[in-house]
Amino acid sequence: QVQLVESGGGSVQAGGSLRLSCTNSGDAYSYHCLAWFRQAPGKEREGVASIYPPGLSTYYVHSVKGRFTISHDNAKQTVYLQMDNLKPDDTAMYYCAVDPGGYTGHYCSLGISYAYWGQGTQVIVSS
């Protein structure tokens, strides 16, 4: 079973950067969709970015496009989210997720129910 642990969250001022990591300590995955989601207080969880490692296909929601970069190191079983030019609206609990399905042929969908989740890491961006 895939077991995910996130790290790298913290507090930063607007315009700053953070790099989140999510490492799998369980059974190795290969042809799986990897994604980052976030949930702000009082709001629904939203997908942020996804990556399909075999082809490195990536997808970003509009609000983070050009500021966030998702990447993956298969040997380390780790997915990263580099977040630059952070804004107060980016404040949320960030979760990584993995699913054996979800690949559309072009990118990994953020609209499916991902099978495996980490415990989350908090990101706070102050103005």
Side-chain angles (χ1 to χ4, degrees):
Q1 181 169 324
V2 172
Q3 297 180 338
L4 305 172
V5 178
E6 300 102 331
S7 62
S11 296
V12 65
Q13 288 191 326
S17 299
L18 285 172
R19 188 195 195 201
L20 307 183
S21 300
C22 173
T23 299
N24 174 29
S25 61
D27 296 335
Y29 54 73
S30 54
Y31 292 88
H32 284 51
C33 280
L34 315 176
W36 286 95
F37 291 77
R38 67 185 181 186
Q39 187 166 20
K43 295 186 177 181
E44 291 187 356
R45 185 174 62 197
E46 66 168 343
V48 174
S50 68
I51 187 168
Y52 187 61
L56 298 179
S57 301
T58 58
Y59 177 81
Y60 300 91
V61 294
H62 178 73
S63 60
V64 307
K65 197 173 293 186
R67 300 189 298 121
F68 291 10
T69 304
I70 189 170
S71 61
H72 177 251
D73 186 327
N74 194 60
K76 295 181 178 180
Q77 289 279 287
T78 299
V79 59
Y80 304 96
L81 186 68
Q82 176 67 40
M83 305 185 296
D84 298 317
N85 191 22
L86 282 160
K87 303 176 180 180
D89 284 348
D90 295 319
T91 295
M93 185 72 79
Y94 283 72
Y95 301 89
C96 65
V98 175
D99 196 89
Y103 185 59
T104 69
H106 299 284
Y107 61 90
C108 286
S109 172
L110 294 172
I112 65 168
S113 180
Y114 277 66
Y116 305 103
W117 293 83
Q119 84 289 349
T121 185
Q122 182 72 49
V123 171
I124 299 173
V125 184
S126 58
S127 57

